[in-house]
């Protein structure tokens, strides 16, 4: 992301986004860390205008970066207040207030610089590269919003404040969405999941199995090819950047050899990335971190776009979702 920002190649895939929903999803991702440190989260969602035209995945990434930052620098048993409100200019104001270590006055102007963690002692004590806030600022800037940090000083907590222009509620969707019944029916699918990052793979398998899918997890291209040769699957969900091969090459093979349709998972979502996924045979491209509901909608869309299940050679209806 830093490289893409530096070269002006970070692109947004905008849609109508519920800010409150994006915050909730970011909190869900952070739930294990919040629980481990026994940090209390108090939400005051007072904004009545809380929809904006944004890149949903990137906006969620901003909120997650700020929450993760607050968790990292807040002691065990601390508290994070999340407040949303509107001003008189159709702007949503989102504030994340923690009671952590705070920011020294001389460092507040540098907190959004790449590799800045509030000084070397903090970098040594808390780890990390200090890239999250730099990326977050650029994403907010690209949404024509603002982000700022303030603190009364060391040991006095921090407040991160984001301002985004709102839109008047959710606008009509142009693409028909699968019905709840169709999404539920798609849960009968047998899915081949290819992900070589162990923690990510286990989480993805767990949430898919909890949603009712039958899941076969593979951690390499060769393992996935062997599994598809031995058993008919309805769908493949694969990471693009695999340690021992490319998800794009895997998709080409699975489509040609077994007629499988697929959903790509990737940390990148430029138009170039989407086109590469489509050319390889993926029917959908989701950007990490992936929201479960969005993934289930994509699964239903891909399966509904096929003439049949398991082994159908008919191409899936393109549903390149960002």
């Amino acid at each position: 992301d830093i490289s893409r920002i530096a070269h002006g190649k970070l692109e947004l895939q905008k849609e109508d986004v519920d800010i409150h929903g994006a915050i909730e999803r970011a909190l869900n991702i952070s739930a294990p860390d919040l629980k481990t440190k026994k940090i209390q989260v108090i939400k005051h969602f007072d904004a009545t205008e809380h929809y904006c035209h944004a890149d949903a995945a990137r906006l969620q990434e901003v909120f997650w970066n700020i929450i993760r930052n607050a968790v990292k620098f807040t002691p065990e048993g601390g508290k994070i207040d999340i407040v949303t409100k509107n001003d008189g200019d159709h702007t949503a104001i989102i504030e994340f207030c923690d009671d952590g270590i705070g920011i020294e006055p001389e460092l507040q102007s540098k907190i959004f610089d790449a590799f800045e963690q509030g000084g070397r002692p903090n970098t040594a004590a808390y780890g990390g590269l200090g890239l999250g806030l730099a990326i977050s600022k650029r994403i907010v800037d690209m949404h024509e919003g603002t982000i700022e940090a303030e603190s009364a000083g060391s040991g006095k907590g921090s407040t991160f404040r984001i301002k985004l222009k709102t839109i008047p509620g959710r606008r009509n969707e142009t693409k028909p969405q699968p019905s709840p019944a169709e999404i539920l029916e798609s849960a009968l699918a047998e899915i081949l999941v290819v992900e070589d990052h162990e923690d990510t793979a286990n989480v993805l398998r767990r949430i898919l199995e909890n949603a009712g899918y039958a899941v076969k997890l593979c951690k390499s291209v060769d393992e996935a090819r062997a599994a598809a040769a031995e058993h008919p699957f309805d769908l493949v969900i694969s990471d693009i950047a695999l340690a021992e091969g490319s998800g794009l090459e895997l998709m080409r093979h699975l489509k040609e050899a077994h007629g499988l349709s697929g959903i790509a998972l990737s940390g990148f979502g430029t138009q170039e990335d989407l086109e590469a996924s489509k050319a390889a045979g993926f029917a959908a491209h989701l950007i990490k971190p992936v929201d479960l509901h969005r993934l289930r909608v994509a699964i239903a869309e891909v399966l509904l776009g096929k003439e049949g299940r398991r082994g159908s050679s008919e191409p899936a209806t393109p549903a390149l979702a960002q």
Side-chain angles (χ1 to χ4, degrees):
D1 279 348
I2 287 291
S3 176
R4 288 172 183 265
I5 289 170
H7 293 88
K9 294 185 177 181
L10 188 68
E11 297 182 11
L12 302 179
Q13 306 295 329
K14 290 187 176 182
E15 58 185 306
D16 295 352
V17 178
D18 181 0
I19 294 170
H20 291 165
I23 295 172
E24 292 285 10
R25 288 191 290 274
L27 283 170
N28 287 339
I29 297 171
S30 304
D33 295 329
L34 290 163
K35 183 177 180 180
T36 297
K37 294 190 71 174
K38 301 176 182 177
I39 294 175
Q40 181 183 14
V41 176
I42 300 175
K43 295 176 288 188
H44 301 277
F45 289 176
D46 298 327
T48 56
E49 298 178 25
H50 52 88
Y51 279 88
C52 65
H53 194 54
D55 185 311
R58 289 297 185 179
L59 189 60
Q60 180 179 316
E61 178 183 355
V62 170
F63 296 151
W64 175 65
N65 274 327
I66 295 174
I67 294 169
R68 181 180 57 173
N69 194 70
V71 171
K72 180 187 292 188
F73 295 111
T74 297
E76 185 173 337
K79 182 180 68 170
I80 301 173
D81 287 280
I82 304 177
V83 179
T84 70
K85 53 190 176 183
N86 298 116
D87 65 8
D89 192 29
H90 301 292
T91 298
I93 302 170
I94 309 106
E95 295 180 339
F96 298 82
C97 309
D98 64 64
D99 56 0
I101 66 172
I103 309 169
E104 296 288 357
E106 64 272 17
L107 296 175
Q108 291 183 30
S109 63
K110 303 177 182 178
I111 201 68
F112 294 105
D113 294 345
F115 307 106
E116 176 58 55
Q117 282 256 48
R120 288 187 178 179
N122 284 340
T123 301
Y126 297 96
L129 295 174
L131 295 176
L133 292 180
I135 294 170
S136 295
K137 185 178 188 310
R138 179 55 182 153
I139 292 172
V140 173
D141 288 346
M142 292 178 70
H143 284 86
E144 299 181 356
T146 62
I147 180 171
E148 58 186 11
E150 62 181 39
S151 172
S154 180
K156 297 182 179 180
S158 306
T159 294
F160 285 82
R161 183 178 298 107
I162 297 172
K163 295 183 179 181
L164 296 167
K165 285 291 184 182
T166 62
I167 57 176
R170 181 184 290 274
R171 297 178 290 195
N172 292 331
E173 299 284 352
T174 57
K175 186 176 74 172
Q177 296 290 308
S179 69
E182 289 171 329
I183 292 176
L184 182 61
E185 193 275 336
S186 75
L188 301 173
E190 294 190 50
I191 300 177
L192 176 62
V193 174
V194 189
E195 170 61 69
D196 58 4
H197 186 276
E198 186 172 359
D199 290 341
T200 303
N202 290 333
V203 169
L204 186 58
R205 176 171 61 183
R206 185 169 67 248
I207 63 176
L208 286 172
E209 288 178 341
N210 288 343
Y213 303 102
V215 177
K216 169 65 176 177
L217 178 61
C218 294
K219 299 181 179 180
S220 70
V221 169
D222 289 343
E223 189 179 344
R225 286 190 176 199
E230 294 175 359
H231 183 82
F233 293 95
D234 297 310
L235 184 73
V236 59
I237 298 175
S238 178
D239 189 10
I240 294 293
L242 298 168
E244 299 179 4
S246 165
L248 299 176
E249 290 299 327
L250 174 63
M251 185 68 251
R252 291 189 185 97
H253 169 78
L254 295 178
K255 188 173 184 65
E256 180 178 346
H258 307 290
L260 273 176
S261 292
I263 296 173
L265 303 183
S266 174
F268 304 103
T270 66
Q271 190 60 39
E272 181 180 275
D273 297 319
L274 298 179
E275 290 173 356
S277 290
K278 183 177 180 180
F282 283 109
H285 182 114
L286 300 180
I287 303 170
K288 298 179 180 179
V290 179
D291 172 63
L292 175 58
H293 175 71
R294 177 174 295 193
L295 178 57
R296 293 190 70 183
V297 168
I299 291 171
E301 287 179 337
V302 173
L303 293 179
L304 289 169
K306 296 176 66 175
E307 289 289 326
R309 294 282 187 89
R310 301 190 184 111
S312 168
S313 60
E314 294 297 322
T317 302
L320 288 177
Q322 292 79 43

